[in-house]
């Protein structure tokens, strides 16, 4: 019998990516009896599972790092502006070791079900292998992008070559030098791997359903002065980042495009383009609310595609027209467009070349046959809800998350779900999550949850649950804010549009990290307005005795 079999933990965290590792540390420091369970055999979350060639982050490494510990900050040195996967994974492992967390993590434990007993007020988790765990509270740190999307493409089951999803890259090196390789998908993942695969493969065929806007990373090693500047000013810089809408220190333009002289608009876009990274998207403050501004920036980016690609026909195929720029995630790449100038690269643009089917040894379209030995699915994820719904989450009172979310996810502040007491979600739908610097957001959420747990423990563990009315109002607000922007004009994974049969609903909160975190603070300071504590609302910050009716 394992030590977990009879134990009742204060909290169990599911997942040990950036969120779970920090949450485990934070809750242990706060005195809770807490463990984490992890499907993989190491920490790292998406940085553990994803290992495809070219993977690196597209947020500056100095910002895509924990803020809570001066020691971690001082003892780690990021090598490059956009750190590669191996380095980010090493950093999370370093944090877990430095904070001595491994004894409190149950690895190789994929949770299959979570059942809340409304009478005993205890959650029971059961793993796929049949291990069970019990806790008063569970914290879903399962990640927004952790369940691969494997679309049912006609004939794919007949393919006899090697089929790989980007998230399930094999441990052994894939030797591609004598292979015809095809990649389906041109999102951030495809854009990162395509230039490297093209260098290695005998021939690379790219299958594009919707072109991406891609900006140049201009990745480079950090110099000592930059690192030192961050060391000296770390706290202030992180506070500044928290007060921005993306949680990242982009150079935010403060004016709408119309308020800038036309010649200055282009000059500023050029300057930002040369600087590299997503900065080119932040020149005007109305990119996502004004169609004209959006077109100005989109035209600028399409012009860059025309300059980079030698064949005008191919350049045209690579240009996105069907959605406003920024409403699908803009990719940050290196030599992405230039790769299409290579002799060993072909582009199948599904807008102009209809896919007939995948065959045992290649791809057949209306225009011809493309031989393929290795087929790579860079087709993304069942984002934001996939990992939560992969677990059968239910209560003895008869609620099932799969039923409750049948028409799309509903949360209060992304943190709680009505009907599911004592369960917290980290960067859930309805929070800025994937529209923010994820590391900054997971730290915020784990801090908020830990403070909430302290509040509850001091009151002898009353139940804690989102009020259905507050949840409905928050969801209306999330929708309203999204509707004031252009984000619903794209068939994006933010809306669930990439997964067959998934309800279409814009999931992240686009009101900004700054606004969201201020609202979370108000909620906590008011005595958790919008949450039911011990079954009732604690009003106006004046906590009533829980026992008195
Ligand atoms: P993605 O953005 O969802 O892109 C998937 C691609 O596959 C899209 O081009 C999509 O086309 C295509 N696709 C999906 N189903 C298809 C089908 N049935 N037939 C043909 N094409 C199909 O996924 P991703 O590239 O893995 O990126 C997901 C997110 O992960 C990113 O947006 C980003 O947030 C994160 N990410 C970050 C980094 C980084 O930090 N640098 C790297 C990788 C990923 P449609 O556009 O038409 O749906």
């Amino acid at each position: 019998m394992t030590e977990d079999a009879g134990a009742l933990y204060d909290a169990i965290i599911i997942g040990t990516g950036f969120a779970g590792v920090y949450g485990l540390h934070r809750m242990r420091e706060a005195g809770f009896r807490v463990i984490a369970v992890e499907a993989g055999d190491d920490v790292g979350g998406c940085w553990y599972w994803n290992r495809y060639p070219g993977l690196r982050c597209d947020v500056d490494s100095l910002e895509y790092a924990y803020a809570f510990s001066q020691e971690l900050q001082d003892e780690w040195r990021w090598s490059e502006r956009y750190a590669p996967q191996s380095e980010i994974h090493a950093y999370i492992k370093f944090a877990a070791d430095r904070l001595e967390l491994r004894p409190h993590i149950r690895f190789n434990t994929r949770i299959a079900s979570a059942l809340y007993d409304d009478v005993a007020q205890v959650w029971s988790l059961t793993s796929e292998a049949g291990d069970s765990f019990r806790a008063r509270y569970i914290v879903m740190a399962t990640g927004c992008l952790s369940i691969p999307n494997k679309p049912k493409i006609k004939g794919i089951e007949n393919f006899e070559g090697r089929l790989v999803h980007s998230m399930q890259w094999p441990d052994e090196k894939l030797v591609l030098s004598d292979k015809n390789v095809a990649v389906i998908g041109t999102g951030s993942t495809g854009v990162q791997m395509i230039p490297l695969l093209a260098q290695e493969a005998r021939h690379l065929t790219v299958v594009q359903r919707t072109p991406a806007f891609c900006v140049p990373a201009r990745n480079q090693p950090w110099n000592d002065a930059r690192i030192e500047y961050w060391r000296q000013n770390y706290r202030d810089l992180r506070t500044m980042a928290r007060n921005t809408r993306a949680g990242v220190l982009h150079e935010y333009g403060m004016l709408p495009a119309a308020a800038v002289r036309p010649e200055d608009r282009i000059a500023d876009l050029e300057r930002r383009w040369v600087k590299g990274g997503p900065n080119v998207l932040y020149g005007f403050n109305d990119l996502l609310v004004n169609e004209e501004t959006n077109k100005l920036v989109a035209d600028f980016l399409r012009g860059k595609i025309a300059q980079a690609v030698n064949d005008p026909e191919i350049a045209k195929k690579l240009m996105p027209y069907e959605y406003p720029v920024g409403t699908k995630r803009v990719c940050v790449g290196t030599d992405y467009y230039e790769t299409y100038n290579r002799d060993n690269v072909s582009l199948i643009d599904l807008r102009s070349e209809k896919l007939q089917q995948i065959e045992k040894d290649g791809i057949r379209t209306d225009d011809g046959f493309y031989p393929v030995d290795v087929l790579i699915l860079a087709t993304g994820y069942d984002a934001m809800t996939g990992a939560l719904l992969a677990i059968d989450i239910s209560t003895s009172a008869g609620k099932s998350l799969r039923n409750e979310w049948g028409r799309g996810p509903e949360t209060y502040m992304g943190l709680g779900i009505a009907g599911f007491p004592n369960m917290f979600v980290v960067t859930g739908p309805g929070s800025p999550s994937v529209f923010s610097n994820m590391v900054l957001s997971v730290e915020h959420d784990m801090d908020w949850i830990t403070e909430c747990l302290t509040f509850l423990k001091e009151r002898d563990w009353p139940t804690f649950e989102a009020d259905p009315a507050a949840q409905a109002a928050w969801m209306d607000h999330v929708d309203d804010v999204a509707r004031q922007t252009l984000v619903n004009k794209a068939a994006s994974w933010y809306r669930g549009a990439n997964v067959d049969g998934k309800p279409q609903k814009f999931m992240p909160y686009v009101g900004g990290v700054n606004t969201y975190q201020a609202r979370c603070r108000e909620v906590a300071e008011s005595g958790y307005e919008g949450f039911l504590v011990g079954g009732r609302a604690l009003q106006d910050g004046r906590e009533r005795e829980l026992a008195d009716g």
Side-chain angles (χ1 to χ4, degrees):
M1 193 154 109
T2 67
E3 63 172 301
D4 296 317
L8 175 62
Y9 290 102
D10 293 337
I12 296 180
I13 299 170
I14 305 178
T16 60
F18 267 107
V21 165
Y22 175 58
L24 187 55
H25 167 69
R26 181 74 168 80
M27 288 175 200
R28 285 180 50 71
E29 288 285 290
F32 294 108
R33 198 158 174 241
V34 54
I35 59 165
V37 289
E38 165 58 53
D41 63 12
D42 205 344
V43 297
C46 67
W47 298 106
Y48 163 89
W49 293 103
N50 279 282
R51 301 157 197 191
Y52 62 80
L55 174 56
R56 50 181 74 245
C57 188
D58 57 9
V59 176
D60 276 15
S61 52
L62 291 163
E63 296 195 59
Y64 194 78
Y66 289 126
F68 70 90
S69 161
Q70 190 66 47
E71 289 76 34
L72 290 187
Q73 168 68 13
D74 288 343
E75 290 172 26
W76 186 265
R77 189 191 156 107
W78 292 104
S79 64
E80 296 174 77
R81 178 176 177 186
Y82 297 120
Q85 175 268 340
S86 55
E87 194 169 323
I88 301 172
H89 188 213
Y91 172 77
I92 305 173
K93 291 197 285 188
F94 156 75
D97 290 334
R98 182 73 174 68
L99 302 168
E100 299 179 4
L101 298 176
R102 286 184 190 274
H104 314 292
I105 303 174
R106 308 294 181 259
F107 291 106
N108 300 307
T109 303
R110 186 177 285 279
I111 297 302
S113 69
L115 173 65
Y116 181 69
D117 181 330
D118 291 83
V119 177
Q121 299 177 351
V122 168
W123 279 98
S124 297
L125 304 179
T126 307
S127 74
E128 283 181 354
D131 295 323
S132 55
F133 307 86
R134 294 187 318 135
R136 294 178 201 280
Y137 295 85
I138 56 172
V139 181
M140 308 305 290
T142 39
C144 294
L145 298 163
S146 36
I147 299 291
N149 173 37
K150 295 182 180 173
K152 294 186 188 72
I153 299 171
K154 191 174 170 204
I156 200 161
E157 65 284 2
N158 300 325
F159 182 65
E160 289 181 359
R162 182 89 186 246
L163 182 65
V164 178
H165 188 281
S166 57
M167 192 190 160
Q168 293 159 335
W169 204 260
D171 281 339
E172 87 277 3
K173 181 161 168 48
L174 262 187
V175 178
L176 302 175
S177 49
D178 57 345
K179 301 281 190 296
N180 293 317
V181 178
V183 175
I184 301 180
T186 52
S188 300
T189 299
V191 159
Q192 285 185 331
M193 65 167 66
I194 284 164
L196 294 174
L197 296 175
Q199 285 169 28
E200 205 188 332
R202 180 163 65 201
H203 192 91
L204 178 70
T205 302
V206 177
V207 182
Q208 168 188 272
R209 184 165 71 179
T210 314
F213 286 101
C214 178
V215 298
R218 307 209 194 284
N219 188 33
Q220 56 189 298
W222 286 126
N223 60 40
D224 290 344
R226 180 80 177 163
I227 298 268
E228 197 45 38
Y229 171 74
W230 266 80
R231 285 223 166 100
Q232 296 294 333
N233 298 287
Y234 195 60
R235 301 255 155 235
D236 291 346
L237 290 164
R238 296 310 294 245
T239 304
M240 277 166 65
R242 271 192 287 274
N243 288 322
T244 66
R245 55 181 195 269
V248 183
L249 293 175
H250 296 302
E251 186 194 342
Y252 295 91
M254 304 305 280
L255 295 172
V260 180
R261 290 189 316 171
E263 59 275 28
D264 292 346
R265 292 177 201 157
I266 300 301
D268 189 54
L269 288 172
E270 283 291 355
R271 183 184 63 76
R272 288 168 179 271
W273 176 265
V274 169
K275 205 168 159 189
N279 256 320
V280 69
L281 305 170
Y282 291 89
F284 312 114
N285 67 4
D286 60 344
L287 177 81
L288 281 184
V289 293
N290 183 314
E291 303 218 25
E292 276 179 38
T293 300
N294 198 283
K295 183 169 179 315
L296 173 84
V297 177
D299 283 345
F300 174 84
L301 296 175
R302 286 187 282 260
K304 292 295 180 192
I305 300 173
Q307 285 170 17
V309 181
N310 298 340
D311 180 336
E313 281 305 307
I314 296 178
K316 215 165 129 201
K317 289 179 178 176
L318 289 166
M319 290 181 193
Y321 280 99
E322 45 277 270
Y323 59 94
V325 60
T327 58
K328 276 162 109 71
R329 169 80 172 235
V330 172
C331 304
V332 179
T334 299
D335 294 336
Y336 174 64
Y337 295 120
E338 291 78 359
T339 296
Y340 294 91
N341 296 331
R342 295 176 64 103
D343 291 338
N344 71 332
V345 175
S346 312
L347 174 65
I348 300 176
D349 174 24
L350 295 179
R351 297 174 304 176
S352 55
E353 185 174 350
K354 193 163 175 293
L355 183 84
Q356 288 185 0
Q357 61 187 358
I358 309 282
E359 299 187 352
K360 68 179 172 47
D361 52 356
I363 298 172
R364 187 165 302 281
T365 72
D366 281 354
D367 291 3
F369 179 76
Y370 300 79
V372 180
D373 306 307
V374 179
L375 179 58
I376 297 168
L377 298 177
T379 45
Y381 303 87
D382 183 354
M384 304 203 72
T385 56
L388 291 166
L389 295 177
I391 300 172
D392 182 9
I393 300 175
S394 61
T395 72
S396 62
K399 296 266 185 194
S400 145
L401 191 65
R402 290 173 182 167
N403 287 342
E404 295 297 309
W405 282 11
R407 286 187 296 159
E410 306 256 309
T411 73
Y412 178 46
M413 314 281 297
L415 289 159
I417 305 173
F420 297 85
N422 299 358
M423 177 173 94
F424 295 95
V425 182
V426 182
T427 58
S431 77
S433 61
V434 290
F435 251 70
S436 74
N437 174 354
M438 285 300 279
V439 184
L440 183 140
S441 284
V442 300
E443 267 192 69
H444 164 271
D445 288 8
M446 283 299 190
D447 284 339
W448 192 94
I449 293 166
T450 307
E451 281 156 27
C452 181
L453 287 177
T454 302
F455 175 92
L456 296 169
K457 186 177 182 184
E458 284 165 357
R459 286 151 187 82
D460 203 17
W461 301 121
T463 54
F464 187 80
E465 180 185 350
D467 180 341
Q471 175 168 293
W474 179 254
M475 284 292 100
D476 285 347
H477 175 60
V478 171
D479 284 348
D480 278 353
V481 176
R483 268 199 298 272
Q484 289 163 31
T485 74
L486 305 173
V487 293
N488 278 313
K489 290 188 178 283
S492 65
W493 60 257
Y494 299 129
R495 305 187 65 226
N498 61 327
V499 177
D500 299 335
K502 188 164 173 171
Q504 300 274 307
K505 174 177 182 168
F506 194 83
M507 295 182 280
Y509 175 61
V510 288
V513 165
N514 42 2
T515 313
Y516 172 79
Q517 295 196 357
R519 181 69 195 128
C520 287
R521 222 168 13 254
E522 281 168 17
V523 165
E525 285 167 7
S526 70
Y528 296 96
E529 181 191 347
F531 286 96
L532 303 175
V533 181
R536 70 187 59 136
L538 307 177
Q539 292 164 358
D540 302 330
R542 290 190 305 278
E543 187 180 336
R544 289 181 295 171
E545 282 300 310
L546 292 172
D548 98 25

